[in-house]
Amino acid sequence: MAVSFDDERRVFFISTQNTSYQIRINEYGMLLHSYYGALVGKADMSYLIKEVDRGFSGNLYESADRRGLSPDTLPLEYGTYGSGDYRVSAIKTVLENGSRTLDLRYASHRIGHGRQAIRNLPYVRDDGRTDVLEIELEDRISGIRVILIYNVFEDKDIITRSARIINGSENSVSLIKAASMSMDIQNRHMDLIHFHGRHAMERITERSALGHGVYTVGSKRGQSSHHNNPFVILCDRHADENFGDCFGFMLMYSGNHAEEIELDQTGSVRVVSGISSEGFEWKLGAGESFDTPEVIMAYSGEGFNGLSHLYHRIIRENVCPARFRDKKRPVLINNWEGTYFDFTEKDILEIADAAADAGCGMLVLDDGWFGIRNNDKSGLGDWFVNKDKLPGGLKAIADHTGKLGMSFGLWIEPEMISEDSMLYREHPEWVLKDPDRDPVVARDQLVLNMSDHEVVDYLYGCISGILDSAEISYIKWDFNRSLANVYSSVTRADMQGEVSHSFVLGTYELLERIGAAYPDVMIEGCAGGGGRFDAGMLFYCPQIWCSDNTDAINRLIIQKGTSYGYPVCTMGSHVSISPNHQTGRETPLVTRAIVAMSGTFGYELDPRKLDDNEKNEIRQQIAIYERYCDLICNGRYYRLTGDEDEKCYTAWEIVAGDRSEALISIVVTDMKGNQELPFLKLKGLDPEASYVIDGVMSSAYELPGAAKDETEHADRVYMGKALMHGGLTLDPLYGQYPAMQLHLKNTVAKNDVMD
Ligand code: DGJ
């Protein structure tokens, strides 16, 4: 059992394979956080908790003579508002008499095996080995109770946290903040890493030293957002990709969120993660309860690569739908950047022919196939085929792709509506809109009220109608604006603060129902690219379109940032044409392919417009991807370069679970004359095994007049330990953004070491 309780010392011990987490109940029933970090077994770490008398940090009434015992300075397991803890709170309530004070003390606990699902929310799936700790806290005056829930995935070094808040009083209570977790990490000088961005430039890695005060990242856009991913890392000042302590906190939620990090007067760091309290107010009638989303926590003493491996594994194995875990993802062709809205049935069939000839396994028909949708100003909501464009309907396309041996996928954007649509003319009351104001428009569209069950039912009917009309094996589920005017016409005035969370629950319900009724249809998440790239969506959609930006050089930044928390198999990544449509930059086709191959691979162009050389190159790229796709999707991913190297080049590596093979990719981003050679220290290989380079894909540019560089690596045998300790110096690469992909093959395969 990964969880135990020492009755005498009143300490909870949680252990995973390599980590420990400890909580202590003090003599006043306060729940104190003693430790999270490397495995210490049953060593009681509560000696770390010091009672120091600090001015202006008050005491519990009953312990007034013990001035060091202050809710303001002790490490708490779930910070409350109003009872003398002045740091960021995890929970805030308003009682019927207007009181905002909450004082939570230990009431009971339960230790068990096998986790429970969280009502209406995504969660980390049980794999039959999960142990559970539930600690019930109670406010003795109001009767409000909070159950802190810890699910322990022992062999995966993952602990999840969530909270159930119960109104045990006879009156109604307003919940104005309900975070999933808080934790006080003692005496640490830490850096914060978070992943910020914007549309078409998501999840840029930013690292900053924590200063005193509160640092908040989050979103109040109704979506987890392009702007701040719901994932943060706290690490030692000196931690890097391979060394040092780091802690990850990933919220499994797709709506408004906040990650608040406070360095307090004592030098302790508080992390609070959960639904954002901005605009949030949830009414709890007597006996009612509220469940928060789950936070996935991980600790690694082996730097960021170590932390990423923990997240990659839990997401792949316990978050994404199990039925897609080992299913090979087809190489797809998507027509968006090839045609935008301007296509006919003939165009789509020809694109399918050309893509099938190159070896693509699936055709995805993007935006523009339905309603009056010839641009982005109209048609959303009218989910029936535009017969002017596609006289044979979806069936004609699906039948055609079927004959070509390809599957067929389709774009939809269910949660949105155009004012210029039949649906809006029929149901103007179905949108989120303040009754007395004009709504904020974005991309000329409004947002449907997903908190209204009638809307969710209607959308279920539309989507199932589409899926029943033809052989469709994939949906790209888009979401192209942020929420504003969050007001529901079917909700009581005093409950409008619930709408943004209920919106997310409505979307989850729809995804759940579609997944249950059409289990073989794979849903790829999308929100104008990666505006909802989070573990909540990954619970329903095993892959998410990473960004609307397909520029290979920008993608290095976006995919690297994404890789800290999310595995390669979740990242939708396509080759588009050059010059790139988002940046105007020109890059070689091989570079675009090498970058896109570290994701769920596809093409986003009009294959009819390629010349014969390009067609041949693409045919070879697809063949290479087919050869390595198992390694790419299931291998262990390492970022090989840091800030210094990345002034010139970015490199990464994917190693098979049994270390029998590895794929190394490098892209030169800044070309210098008489260049320093790219130098890489490889990771994760079998030190005692010998490897040969048995596959090279690279830019072919040669300097005029220069002696030809020999590929001296070919046919040479390298020991794993040589490549990891001594490294590999690559031959110079020349030209515009050149790239190289090397495949290493171990001559003797070892047993699986992923576990
Ligand atoms: C935004 C998506 O990210 C694009 O790939 C494309 O599907 C457009 N929407 C279509 O409107």
Side-chain angles (χ1 to χ4, degrees):
M1 190 61 124
V3 184
S4 61
F5 181 60
D6 182 326
D7 230 350
E8 216 169 289
R9 288 182 286 179
R10 309 239 289 170
V11 174
F12 295 100
F13 295 95
I14 301 177
S15 302
T16 69
Q17 218 166 66
N18 298 294
T19 71
S20 292
Y21 191 106
Q22 292 183 17
I23 306 159
R24 179 173 163 245
I25 311 163
N26 78 0
E27 49 277 55
Y28 299 96
M30 297 165 81
L31 200 65
L32 307 181
H33 178 76
S34 318
Y35 178 75
Y36 185 32
L39 189 67
V40 292
K42 288 283 170 66
D44 178 0
M45 303 300 280
S46 41
Y47 70 87
L48 287 169
I49 302 171
K50 295 281 182 216
E51 291 181 20
V52 178
D53 177 14
R54 294 181 192 272
F56 291 83
S57 292
N59 309 104
L60 305 178
Y61 194 77
E62 62 268 42
S63 69
D65 55 338
R66 244 168 93 179
R67 290 196 172 181
L69 197 135
S70 169
D72 193 29
T73 54
L74 290 173
L76 301 179
E77 195 58 15
Y78 198 64
T80 60
Y81 181 81
S83 285
D85 175 9
Y86 301 100
R87 295 165 291 182
V88 184
S89 322
I91 180 168
K92 287 186 191 172
T93 49
V94 186
L95 305 185
E96 216 169 51
N97 69 0
S99 166
R100 283 158 196 261
T101 295
L102 193 66
D103 181 6
L104 293 173
R105 309 282 183 97
Y106 171 81
S108 65
H109 71 266
R110 183 183 80 83
I111 292 171
H113 185 70
R115 70 155 304 159
Q116 279 170 14
I118 307 181
R119 219 175 7 172
N120 306 328
L121 281 166
Y123 57 92
V124 180
R125 297 170 211 269
D126 200 343
D127 49 16
R129 296 192 290 264
T130 320
D131 290 326
V132 185
L133 168 64
E134 292 181 358
I135 306 177
E136 186 172 49
L137 306 173
E138 183 184 28
D139 179 56
R140 287 168 197 147
I141 303 303
S142 68
I144 292 172
R145 288 179 286 134
V146 175
I147 302 178
L148 301 181
I149 303 163
Y150 303 78
N151 291 298
V152 186
F153 298 81
E154 186 179 2
D155 59 327
K156 293 180 176 155
D157 282 327
I158 292 287
I159 301 172
T160 68
R161 281 192 61 181
S162 63
R164 166 169 279 198
I165 299 154
I166 304 157
N167 178 7
S169 79
E170 284 172 4
N171 303 313
S172 90
V173 168
S174 265
L175 204 51
I176 55 173
K177 182 167 187 183
S180 303
M181 53 114 8
S182 78
M183 188 197 297
D184 292 335
I185 307 174
Q186 288 199 68
N187 302 322
R188 306 298 291 246
H189 301 288
M190 294 190 129
D191 285 356
L192 167 70
I193 299 178
H194 70 108
F195 305 93
H196 73 102
R198 52 190 182 271
H199 174 234
M201 208 57 226
E202 300 89 336
R203 291 174 297 288
I204 302 166
T205 312
E206 188 163 275
R207 178 174 184 164
S208 33
L210 277 183
H212 286 90
V214 184
Y215 195 103
T216 306
V217 291
S219 162
K220 48 184 171 181
R221 297 170 167 272
Q223 59 184 122
S224 51
S225 85
H226 306 81
H227 304 75
N228 287 302
N229 196 261
F231 175 50
V232 294
I233 298 173
L234 286 169
C235 63
D236 276 351
R237 284 274 148 87
H238 304 292
D240 65 15
E241 288 293 356
N242 307 304
F243 304 101
D245 283 349
C246 38
F247 303 84
F249 303 92
M250 177 182 284
L251 184 68
M252 230 178 143
Y253 189 60
S254 313
N256 295 340
H257 62 94
E259 291 69 42
E260 298 163 285
I261 298 98
E262 176 169 9
L263 177 59
D264 75 4
Q265 59 171 338
T266 68
S268 169
V269 176
R270 172 167 292 185
V271 195
V272 177
S273 170
I275 295 176
S276 167
S277 58
E278 292 236 27
F280 173 84
E281 181 175 3
W282 198 274
K283 291 269 181 233
L284 284 180
E288 287 180 348
S289 61
F290 179 85
D291 289 302
T292 73
E294 188 155 64
V295 171
I296 309 173
M297 304 193 307
Y299 159 83
S300 166
E302 291 171 7
F304 312 130
N305 272 320
L307 192 75
S308 296
H309 295 157
L310 301 176
Y311 278 105
H312 292 180
R313 182 163 178 216
I314 197 84
I315 287 185
R316 212 176 79 75
E317 296 182 9
N318 299 64
V319 172
C320 294
R323 58 191 188 277
F324 297 111
R325 177 176 151 177
D326 298 315
K327 198 165 173 184
K328 192 180 158 296
R329 315 278 168 87
V331 175
L332 66 83
I333 175 93
N334 177 304
N335 70 307
W336 179 241
E337 287 199 22
T339 65
Y340 295 105
F341 293 103
D342 188 14
F343 59 82
T344 60
E345 184 175 271
K346 183 168 170 286
D347 291 323
I348 298 302
L349 299 183
E350 285 175 3
I351 288 174
D353 291 339
D357 182 49
C360 287
M362 176 161 68
L363 170 85
V364 176
L365 177 57
D366 211 282
D367 197 353
W369 59 267
F370 54 90
I372 310 295
R373 183 77 172 165
N374 297 320
N375 53 46
D376 60 12
K377 295 188 185 315
S378 60
L380 288 174
D382 297 341
W383 298 113
F384 49 85
V385 177
N386 181 338
K387 290 276 177 131
D388 290 340
K389 272 181 169 172
L390 306 175
L394 299 175
K395 189 159 183 328
I397 302 174
D399 288 350
H400 187 80
T401 55
K403 280 189 204 128
L404 294 169
M406 292 168 100
S407 51
F408 176 51
L410 193 67
W411 179 97
I412 52 173
E413 192 176 4
E415 295 135 285
M416 299 291 164
I417 181 167
S418 307
E419 274 185 285
D420 184 5
S421 66
M422 284 165 60
L423 184 66
Y424 186 72
R425 284 186 279 277
E426 215 171 299
H427 284 293
E429 78 287 3
W430 274 5
V431 301
L432 291 176
K433 180 182 170 311
D434 190 298
D436 302 319
R437 295 170 207 276
D438 285 333
V440 169
V441 282
R443 208 193 188 203
D444 272 300
Q445 62 197 57
L446 302 179
V447 186
L448 283 169
N449 180 5
M450 297 298 290
S451 75
D452 181 347
H453 290 292
E454 207 184 337
V455 173
V456 173
D457 283 346
Y458 173 80
L459 290 172
Y460 178 79
C462 292
I463 299 170
S464 51
I466 294 166
L467 292 175
D468 292 341
S469 73
E471 196 60 40
I472 297 172
S473 61
Y474 160 107
I475 292 177
K476 178 177 172 189
W477 184 299
D478 210 343
F479 180 95
N480 278 302
R481 61 159 291 180
S482 300
L483 273 51
N485 317 105
V486 180
Y487 189 97
S488 154
S489 64
V490 292
T491 304
R492 263 173 30 199
D494 65 337
M495 292 170 75
Q496 291 292 333
E498 300 186 5
V499 178
S500 30
H501 179 55
S502 298
F503 179 96
V504 181
L505 298 183
T507 298
Y508 287 156
E509 184 194 325
L510 185 56
L511 283 160
E512 178 73 41
R513 285 172 65 182
I514 299 289
Y518 301 92
D520 296 332
V521 175
M522 188 178 74
I523 306 176
E524 171 157 339
C526 176
R532 227 167 30 178
F533 203 118
D534 56 67
M537 288 306 283
L538 286 171
F539 185 78
Y540 308 97
C541 314
Q543 62 191 53
I544 298 178
W545 181 225
C546 213
S547 176
D548 271 352
N549 187 344
T550 53
D551 174 291
I553 306 308
N554 281 177
R555 274 288 184 130
L556 292 173
I557 299 168
I558 297 166
Q559 291 177 197
K560 179 177 175 180
T562 309
S563 78
Y564 281 90
Y566 307 96
V568 162
C569 63
T570 63
M571 292 187 217
S573 188
H574 302 166
V575 174
S576 61
I577 63 154
S578 177
N580 180 267
H581 284 191
Q582 292 79 39
T583 61
R585 191 199 318 255
E586 293 189 39
T587 50
L589 187 50
V590 66
T591 301
R592 282 173 269 150
I594 287 175
V595 174
M597 269 191 207
S598 287
T600 51
F601 187 54
Y603 290 83
E604 181 136 350
L605 40 74
D606 186 340
R608 297 171 302 176
K609 296 183 180 154
L610 301 171
D611 63 31
D612 285 347
N613 286 338
E614 289 170 321
K615 280 184 190 155
N616 271 336
E617 211 176 323
I618 284 183
R619 220 168 270 129
Q620 284 165 22
Q621 290 170 356
I622 294 176
I624 289 173
Y625 181 78
E626 296 287 356
R627 201 176 316 141
Y628 302 147
C629 69
D630 185 44
L631 165 64
I632 292 171
C633 290
N634 305 323
R636 190 172 272 200
Y637 179 93
Y638 291 87
R639 292 169 295 270
L640 293 182
T641 42
D643 291 347
E644 266 313 302
D645 297 326
E646 286 176 11
K647 288 177 185 161
C648 290
Y649 54 87
T650 299
W652 63 100
E653 178 190 4
I654 303 175
V655 185
D658 64 0
R659 300 186 287 184
S660 61
E661 53 176 339
L663 200 61
I664 293 106
S665 305
I666 176 166
V667 178
V668 178
T669 50
D670 189 19
M671 185 54 63
K672 300 269 174 17
N674 194 11
Q675 61 182 258
E676 291 173 7
L677 300 181
F679 170 71
L680 305 173
K681 276 195 168 180
L682 304 191
K683 305 280 169 206
L685 302 174
D686 180 344
E688 299 306 327
S690 26
Y691 292 87
V692 288
I693 296 174
D694 70 343
V696 180
M697 174 162 66
S698 84
S699 326
Y701 190 88
E702 283 165 25
L703 293 183
K708 198 172 173 336
D709 293 314
E710 293 304 324
T711 316
E712 60 169 60
H713 302 299
D715 302 328
R716 205 175 144 164
V717 176
Y718 301 87
M719 289 296 283
K721 57 190 169 195
L723 293 169
M724 292 193 290
H725 302 309
L728 187 64
T729 309
L730 298 176
D731 297 332
L733 289 163
Y734 299 113
Q736 284 274 56
Y737 303 107
M740 181 185 264
Q741 184 193 69
L742 300 174
H743 183 255
L744 287 183
K745 183 100 193 99
N746 174 354
T747 41
V748 193
K750 283 279 162 74
N751 290 336
D752 185 14
V753 292
M754 281 290 272
D755 292 351

